[in-house]
Amino acid sequence: MRFTSATTVMLFLASSTAWAKPPSIEAQLIDREKQSWAAWQGQDVAFWKRHLSTDHVEIDGPNGPQDRDYVINGVANRKCSVASYNLGSFTFRQLGPDAGMLVYRATQEFACGDKHIPNSGWVTSLYQRRGGRWLNVLFEHLLIPPPKPAEPAKG
């Protein structure tokens, strides 16, 4: 049997895919988290309906814990627009075979109505695998206050 170069390439790709190691839980959850920020910026309500567990808890301000509907309605109302965001310094803890937690730094520039809101903070994001899918069950964003202006020297 003779193989053409195209057949050889197809056989190689098929065999390498079959042996490819699935991404680690850490990699899967970091990818999901990055997708959530892109969906926040893109105001993708459908993503958020798939991403959040029905018992999701959101803590992102002085009003304390909020639920899934708070997040979905916030995205659906389109009152806020995200100009930019940056994520980094990810750490991961596996809490069991079906649970994992990410802690990372997030900086974003966004506006709600005419109010411009630059902020930076630490995020804790907890995931649980349910029905074979990773769902976000907790998202907490702890703001880092901007530095205070230097006090004038007393002289």
Side-chain angles (χ1 to χ4, degrees):
M1 176 188 259
R2 287 181 30 186
F3 291 104
T4 65
S5 59
T7 304
T8 303
V9 168
M10 287 175 37
L11 287 172
F12 173 76
L13 289 175
S15 66
S16 64
T17 304
W19 293 99
K21 184 178 177 183
S24 68
I25 292 172
E26 177 180 9
Q28 290 176 57
L29 297 186
I30 289 173
D31 183 57
R32 295 274 307 164
E33 199 68 13
K34 288 178 178 180
Q35 289 176 37
S36 76
W37 281 84
W40 161 235
Q41 185 176 41
Q43 300 175 328
D44 184 348
V45 176
F47 172 87
W48 289 101
K49 288 180 178 178
R50 292 186 313 271
H51 180 69
L52 302 176
S53 66
T54 56
D55 57 349
H56 174 80
V57 175
E58 185 91 3
I59 304 171
D60 68 353
N63 297 330
Q66 302 290 329
D67 63 11
R68 178 180 194 262
D69 291 339
Y70 164 81
V71 178
I72 292 170
N73 291 336
V75 174
N77 289 338
R78 302 179 190 272
K79 291 181 181 176
C80 297
S81 61
V82 180
S84 66
Y85 63 89
N86 187 36
L87 313 176
S89 301
F90 280 92
T91 60
F92 169 75
R93 300 289 185 277
Q94 188 162 349
L95 306 174
D98 293 317
M101 177 178 67
L102 296 172
V103 176
Y104 61 95
R105 178 96 182 242
T107 303
Q108 63 180 324
E109 295 276 340
F110 69 102
C112 294
D114 61 354
K115 185 177 180 184
H116 178 72
I117 308 167
N119 72 35
S120 182
W122 287 101
V123 171
T124 301
S125 193
L126 183 63
Y127 286 85
Q128 186 175 39
R129 188 169 22 209
R130 298 178 182 173
R133 292 182 37 227
W134 288 105
L135 298 174
N136 187 268
V137 296
L138 171 76
F139 182 90
E140 181 177 21
H141 190 187
L142 177 64
L143 290 178
I144 299 171
K148 292 181 181 178
E151 302 228 359
K154 295 181 181 178

